Amino acid sequence: PQQPNPTTCGMLSVHKHHLVAAGLLCLFLVVCASTEQLTDSQASLADIKRSESCITDTNTNADPSIMSASKKTYEQDGDEARQIAQYLPYFPFKGIPRFYDIGGFLEKPEVFQQIVDIFVERYSEIGIDSIAGLDARGFILGPPIALALKKPFLMMRKQGKMPNSLSSDAYKCEYGNRAGLTVQRDKIKKGDRVLVIDDLVATGGTLSSAINLVHMLGGEVVECACVVEIKMFIDPSEESGLPSRTKLFTSQNINHVPVWGLISEDVLTVEAKLPEGYVDDGEEH
């Protein structure tokens, strides 16, 4: 019988090996493609679950009794406000029987975040161009809100603290007389919608100074926001002898500017536990 040609056999063997290798390569590519599709599907599903988690529970470590601002419209002195009020104790300070201390909620990250979220939700809907924080507690509250809204933050400081600044007139507040606030001249442009923020509004003296600064530079104050609003000063009777925020704003032609606070004195009932020998060492009495 005729002997097989060694060269031909070698070529057939090599050809068969090429076919096997090509088949394995195709199988590998199909498996990789299927795996990639599965991975993409799993990633998409994970993204959806994460989004749902963010909507339903923004902070798993938060106090469960504090409702998320994203779940309801915030109501001053409502249920959510009453929960936050537990972290705003009052002290006798600066000769004032009830000085409300924001240090109570600043040491509770979940409560501080809740307060920031309430402001962010409100002003993302209203629309603002920048946030002006008042010296000094407005410097604590304003920046996290500005960062969340991706808006500029600017400082309104006491006189002599910043270069290239413009100053408002002197004013009175619940603590006594104050020199005007200042703001840097290039921080507010004509037509800017500015949110003014501070920790507390009482007689409105400090806010009036800030509003006038914004107007001096051609801006518009969309709203004055605060954590605590002392309502007894909004429009007290003549017989009370208390200063009136309404009359002050009217006398300066700024009564069109709204003031919005999270909590009023009506629900701020937590008295701070004072150590033995406590002394009111506030700067003015």
Side-chain angles (χ1 to χ4, degrees), residues 104-117:
F105 70 73
L106 292 178
E107 68 174 350
K108 301 291 183 181
E110 68 277 9
V111 182
F112 189 12
Q113 184 65 63
Q114 180 69 13
I115 291 170
V116 169
D117 289 345

Side-chain angles (χ1 to χ4, degrees), residues 224-251:
C224 294
C226 54
V227 177
V228 177
E229 179 181 22
I230 307 299
K231 296 193 296 185
M232 63 186 290
F233 292 115
I234 294 177
D235 193 18
S237 65
E238 292 286 348
E239 294 76 21
S240 69
L242 294 173
S244 168
R245 190 175 84 209
T246 300
K247 289 183 178 179
L248 173 65
F249 277 31
T250 301
S251 69

Side-chain angles (χ1 to χ4, degrees), residues 27-78:
L27 180 61
F28 175 77
L29 292 174
V30 170
V31 171
C32 287
S34 300
T35 303
E36 184 176 4
Q37 290 177 355
L38 180 60
T39 302
D40 289 343
S41 299
Q42 290 173 336
S44 299
L45 182 59
D47 288 340
I48 293 172
K49 288 183 177 179
R50 278 196 296 270
S51 299
E52 291 174 345
S53 176
C54 290
I55 294 172
T56 56
D57 184 10
T58 57
N59 187 348
T60 55
N61 295 321
D63 184 342
S65 64
I66 298 179
M67 300 170 65
S68 171
S70 63
K71 296 180 183 178
K72 64 186 286 293
T73 300
Y74 184 85
E75 177 187 357
Q76 185 187 62
D77 294 349

